[in-house]
């Protein structure tokens, strides 16, 4: 019996490509009944905006063996059998090891990734031609238990003011879940650790202004019902779901760019692979001009240095990172007290 497959014609910089999608009827999101072919068509429909946000960057693919409720794994290296128009770039990981990482240069490559059972795309904050220096400052506003998207909204608005005072233009997108992602285009002249420190400078300033609503506490037991500013997403090899990337969540939501004036009224659950293409067609891409004017992180780094002088030191790194200079002990505060 012939194996079920579909074909999509995908336009690109080198002309049309005929892309095969095997098992097109395989359901990825059981709730809304959305399939692998639905996902491939979605990426074609939003292709230009998706590529503008995620293309030309090292990218990690979040792949699934069955539905989004099932087993998953992450691909960084180009899988065997990748077509010749899917390239890679060598990047350096926190361990110091170097390895090739996938780069998506055209929409057909994103469709090929779907053929390889990719659902979520995680681009780096740097570009493939300069992978060590981010050109995006990224801040993840992560609601903790007892808070949600509504509580993150005023925090995002205040963060916009903080970044504006530092000379940066902020852009936002829904995370696809309960959080908000705040991005600012920056000059790619600083390496990841500097940008992380710039993020911490902004996060601490935000926390000072909204101490009841915001926390920079790395340990969950210290966060309370506040919005956690996840500074560690600014590290090398730390990524968020890309703009217009689907999420592996029951409603097939999308991490969707929005305009600041939409923030008060938007419902992230309504931004799905079924609704976002029409939204994009009617309203356009809120991030279309993001990189038209990049800012510098110099003032944020001055804030970081100011806080260092005031006794606020380095913050913890992710547990898989090597021990970093000035980092506090990687032990839960309650356990440290017990041992003491």
């Amino acid at each position: 019996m012939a194996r079920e497959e579909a074909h999509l014609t995908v336009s690109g910089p080198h002309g049309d490509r005929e892309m095969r999608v095997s098992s097109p009827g395989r359901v990825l999101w059981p709730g809304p009944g959305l399939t692998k072919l639905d996902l491939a068509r979605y990426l074609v429909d939003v292709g230009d905006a998706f590529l503008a946000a995620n293309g030309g960057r090292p990218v990690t693919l979040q792949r699934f063996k069955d539905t989004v409720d099932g087993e998953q794994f992450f691909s960084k290296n180009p899988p065997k059998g990748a077509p010749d128009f899917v390239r890679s770039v060598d990047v350096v990981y926190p361990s110091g090891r170097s390895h090739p990482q996938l780069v998506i240069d055209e929409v057909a490559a994103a469709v090929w990734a779907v053929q390889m059972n990719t659902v979520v795309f995680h681009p780096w904050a740097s570009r493939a031609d300069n992978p060590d220096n981010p050109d995006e400052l990224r801040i993840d506003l992560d609601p903790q238990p007892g808070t949600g998207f509504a509580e993150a909204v005023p925090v995002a608005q205040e963060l916009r003011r903080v970044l504006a005072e530092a000379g940066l233009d902020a852009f936002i997108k829904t995370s696809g879940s309960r959080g908000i992602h705040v991005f600012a285009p920056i000059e790619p002249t600083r390496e990841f650790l500097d940008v992380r420190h710039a993020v911490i400078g902004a996060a601490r300033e935000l926390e000072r202004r909204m101490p009841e609503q915001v926390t920079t506490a790395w340990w969950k037991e210290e966060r309370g019902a506040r919005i956690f500013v996840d500074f560690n997403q600014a590290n090398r090899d730390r990524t968020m779901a890309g703009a217009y990337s689907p999420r592996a969540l029951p409603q097939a939501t999308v991490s969707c760019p929005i305009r600041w004036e939409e923030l008060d009224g938007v419902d992230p659950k309504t931004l799905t692979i079924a609704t976002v293409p029409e939204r994009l067609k009617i309203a356009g891409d809120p991030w279309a001009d993001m990189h038209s004017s990049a800012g510098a992180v110099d003032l944020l780094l001055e804030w970081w240095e100011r806080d260092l002088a005031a006794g606020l030191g380095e913050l913890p790194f992710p547990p898989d990172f090597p021990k970093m200079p000035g980092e506090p002990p990687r032990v839960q505060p309650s356990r440290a007290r017990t041992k003491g």
Side-chain angles (χ1 to χ4, degrees):
M1 186 171 66
R3 187 175 180 182
E4 182 188 8
E5 61 180 43
H7 291 84
L8 295 177
T9 302
V10 184
S11 300
H14 305 290
D16 291 347
R17 298 191 192 276
E18 287 293 316
M19 301 303 299
R20 181 178 69 91
V21 180
S22 63
S23 305
R26 180 163 71 85
V27 173
L28 293 174
W29 288 275
L34 292 167
T35 67
K36 186 176 178 181
L37 183 58
D38 290 326
L39 175 54
R41 285 173 171 161
Y42 163 78
L43 285 168
V44 173
D45 289 342
V46 303
D48 290 343
F50 176 90
L51 200 62
N54 307 300
R57 300 177 181 275
V59 65
T60 298
L61 308 180
Q62 188 176 352
R63 299 163 62 189
F64 291 78
K65 291 192 173 181
D66 192 17
T67 72
V68 296
D69 301 322
E71 186 178 348
Q72 61 179 291
F73 59 102
F74 291 87
S75 282
K76 297 182 179 182
N77 309 330
K80 291 180 180 178
D84 57 9
F85 61 85
V86 177
R87 68 177 173 118
S88 63
V89 63
D90 284 343
V91 297
V92 178
Y93 297 108
S95 64
R97 178 177 57 89
S98 178
H99 215 284
Q101 184 108 13
L102 284 161
V103 181
I104 291 176
D105 291 317
E106 55 182 284
V107 178
V111 173
W112 164 80
V114 170
Q115 163 61 16
M116 300 298 292
N117 301 319
T118 300
V119 172
V120 190
F121 296 80
H122 298 266
W124 277 40
S126 57
R127 296 186 184 270
D129 60 358
N130 188 6
D132 293 325
N133 295 336
D135 71 339
E136 292 176 345
L137 181 143
R138 300 174 171 182
I139 300 179
D140 180 11
L141 299 178
D142 184 10
Q144 299 303 290
T147 67
F149 186 84
E151 287 74 25
V153 167
V155 174
Q157 291 166 334
E158 185 61 33
L159 177 57
R160 182 189 190 188
R161 289 186 279 270
V162 168
L163 293 176
E165 290 173 24
L168 298 176
D169 292 329
F171 293 75
I172 48 169
K173 63 184 178 76
T174 62
S175 69
S177 184
R178 301 184 308 135
I180 298 174
H181 295 163
V182 181
F183 282 35
I186 59 174
E187 299 165 354
T189 57
R190 301 276 192 169
E191 54 91 29
F192 276 92
L193 186 60
D194 284 341
V195 175
R196 177 185 188 269
H197 287 159
V199 167
I200 292 174
R204 282 175 165 159
E205 180 62 26
L206 181 63
E207 185 178 33
R208 273 189 288 269
R209 297 183 185 192
M210 306 181 75
E212 301 301 318
Q213 294 85 28
V214 171
T215 180
T216 59
W218 175 246
W219 300 103
K220 291 183 179 180
E221 64 184 32
E222 296 186 323
R223 293 177 188 170
R226 291 178 287 182
I227 305 299
F228 171 53
V229 186
D230 190 352
F231 51 87
N232 270 330
Q233 292 289 12
N235 280 317
R236 179 184 295 271
D237 195 32
R238 281 299 183 275
T239 57
M240 309 177 192
Y244 297 105
S245 172
R247 298 304 308 273
L249 296 169
Q251 304 96 339
T253 49
V254 168
S255 186
C256 187
I258 61 174
R259 293 176 174 82
W260 281 103
E261 55 267 27
E262 297 180 89
L263 184 56
D264 277 320
V266 72
D267 180 356
K269 295 191 296 294
T270 66
L271 301 172
T272 72
I273 69 167
T275 64
V276 167
E278 186 66 17
R279 166 191 162 85
L280 190 58
K281 187 185 303 180
I282 293 171
D285 179 12
W287 284 19
D289 298 323
M290 178 192 282
H291 286 280
S292 60
S293 59
V297 297
D298 296 12
L299 185 54
L300 290 179
L301 287 174
E302 288 181 19
W303 294 359
W304 158 258
E305 294 292 343
R306 173 200 65 192
D307 290 340
L308 283 182
L312 295 175
E314 183 61 272
L315 291 174
F317 284 77
D320 59 327
F321 270 53
K323 185 67 176 176
M324 301 296 287
E327 183 183 3
R330 292 185 187 177
V331 59
Q332 223 170 301
S334 59
R335 295 183 64 184
R337 287 192 296 270
T338 301
K339 289 180 180 179

